[in-house]
């Protein structure tokens, strides 16, 4: 909650969703304030990606309510609100054979806006996206999402497959994006460390349910315990 009476950037209530009529995530309730970064953690298969896709409306009919800036994503205001949610799914969401500039053009994102956000992209505008480094491709993908000025941004495993230093840089950039645009960011991460470092708050998901919530700083202090109870793959082989 933003705490000042204004509607949060993203508000999800009682969201139950899944595939082919089978629910995978249950009764998810969360909110992300403007300029806030909320981490969503959980082991493989916990339901993190499903949660993001359901929030974005990709999974068809589901139970629950999603509001962006206080406006429901379904119903009459649905079409207007859809563009207020940006989603960056796993993997590099760029077209490798198109140039960086063409990738931005296709997303209707002004290259000046993108390079202001990520100056690293400036000398790469005329290069094919496929020859950019993994980190630069991820910046381009982020710019494509963020440059459309969504109120809520959903990001799945930004750090996947990237070197630690590159991840740190991307995540600190995410912090500036949240601050400068006022967007609320829901960030799925597997790495406790990355999430703890960038998120104001973290939610811990296990078997499709949100089991715990704590400030990012607390996650660092309780890292070992959280890893063991919710995230580890070794102690829960039952
Ligand atoms: N397209 C799909 N069809 C059916 N089941 C799926 C599909 N995608 C994911 N699942 C199942 O939903 C559960 C949660 O998956 P997912 O949301 O991808 O977890 P996470 O992102 O936390 O690793 C898993 O049991 C997975 O097998
Ligand atoms: Mg996933």
């Amino acid at each position: 909650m933003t705490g000042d009476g204004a509607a949060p950037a993203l508000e999800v209530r009682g969201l139950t969703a899944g595939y082919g009529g089978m629910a995978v995530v249950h009764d998810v309730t969360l909110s992300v304030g403007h300029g806030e970064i909320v981490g969503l953690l959980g082991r493989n298969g916990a339901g993190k990606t499903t949660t993001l896709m359901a929030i974005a409306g990709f999974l068809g009919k589901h139970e629950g309510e999603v509001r962006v800036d206080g406006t429901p994503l379904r119903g009459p205001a649905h079409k207007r609100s859809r563009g207020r949610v940006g989603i960056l799914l796993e993997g590099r969401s760029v077209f490798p054979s198109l140039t960086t500039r063409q990738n931005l053009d296709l997303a209707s994102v002004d290259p000046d806006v993108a390079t202001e956000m990520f100056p690293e992209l400036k000398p790469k505008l005329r290069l094919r996206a496929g020859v950019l480094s993994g980190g630069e491709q991820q910046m381009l993908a982020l710019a494509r999402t963020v440059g459309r000025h969504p109120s809520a941004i959903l990001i799945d495993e930004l750090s996947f497959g990237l070197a630690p230093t590159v991840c740190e840089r991307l995540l600190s950039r995410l912090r500036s994006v949240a601050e400068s645009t006022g967007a609320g960011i829901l960030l799925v991460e597997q790495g406790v460390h990355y999430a703890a470092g960038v998120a104001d708050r973290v939610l811990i998901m296990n078997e499709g349910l949100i089991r715990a919530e704590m400030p990012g700083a607390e996650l660092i202090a309780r890292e070992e315990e959280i890893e063991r109870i919710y995230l580890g793959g070794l102690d829960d082989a039952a």
Side-chain angles (χ1 to χ4, degrees), residues 116-128:
E116 192 181 327
M117 211 176 323
F118 301 107
E120 290 91 336
L121 295 179
K122 197 158 193 166
K124 317 275 171 158
L125 284 174
R126 297 170 66 175
L127 293 183
R128 283 194 308 110

Side-chain angles (χ1 to χ4, degrees), residues 18-20 22 24-25 42-51 53 59 90 156-157 188 190 205:
Y19 308 90
M22 208 183 78
V24 165
V25 297
R43 66 165 67 96
N44 231 346
K48 305 178 299 295
T49 298
T50 304
T51 301
M53 295 207 299
L59 293 185
E90 276 171 277
D156 204 357
E157 311 231 10
V188 164
Q190 286 247 356
M205 181 169 250

Side-chain angles (χ1 to χ4, degrees), residues 6-231:
L10 175 69
E11 197 168 19
V12 177
R13 282 182 201 270
L15 180 68
T16 293
Y19 308 90
M22 208 183 78
V24 165
V25 297
H26 311 272
D27 199 21
V28 169
T29 291
L30 60 88
S31 81
V32 185
H34 290 277
E36 189 181 30
I37 301 180
V38 173
L40 180 59
L41 289 177
R43 66 165 67 96
N44 231 346
K48 305 178 299 295
T49 298
T50 304
T51 301
L52 294 193
M53 295 207 299
I55 292 173
F58 290 165
L59 293 185
K61 225 169 151 50
H62 56 242
E63 277 177 52
E65 192 181 49
V66 177
R67 286 173 178 261
V68 175
D69 291 330
T71 307
L73 276 199
R74 312 176 95 196
H78 170 71
K79 276 215 164 72
R80 191 155 43 86
S81 307
R82 251 323 260 285
R84 309 294 290 156
V85 180
I87 184 165
L88 183 53
L89 289 170
E90 276 171 277
R92 317 262 176 266
S93 317
V94 301
F95 297 101
S97 60
L98 300 182
T99 66
T100 299
R101 183 185 288 276
Q102 287 167 334
N103 267 276
L104 294 168
D105 286 347
L106 266 186
S108 308
V109 171
D110 183 340
D112 288 342
V113 171
T115 54
E116 192 181 327
M117 211 176 323
F118 301 107
E120 290 91 336
L121 295 179
K122 197 158 193 166
K124 317 275 171 158
L125 284 174
R126 297 170 66 175
L127 293 183
R128 283 194 308 110
V131 306
L132 304 187
S133 71
E136 288 161 353
Q137 288 187 33
Q138 206 55 313
M139 283 178 201
L140 175 55
L142 257 180
R144 281 168 50 95
T145 303
V146 176
R148 306 185 73 157
H149 309 295
S151 291
I153 303 174
L154 316 173
I155 301 177
D156 204 357
E157 311 231 10
L158 187 68
S159 64
F160 185 80
L162 296 176
T165 51
V166 179
C167 295
E168 304 279 353
R169 216 166 72 222
L170 269 174
L171 291 173
S172 73
R173 216 55 74 71
L174 214 52
R175 167 54 62 195
S176 347
V177 164
E179 276 166 13
S180 64
T181 66
I185 300 179
L186 183 61
L187 176 74
V188 164
E189 265 300 327
Q190 286 247 356
V192 173
H193 237 85
Y194 293 133
V198 71
D200 299 294
R201 267 188 304 131
V202 292
L203 308 170
I204 310 219
M205 181 169 250
N206 188 242
E207 295 181 359
L209 291 164
I210 293 186
R211 308 275 189 175
E213 171 177 354
M214 66 196 70
E218 187 178 332
L219 180 65
I220 301 176
R222 293 174 61 190
E223 179 173 350
E224 219 172 281
E225 173 202 351
I226 300 291
E227 284 268 12
R228 180 167 40 82
I229 300 178
Y230 298 111
L231 308 175

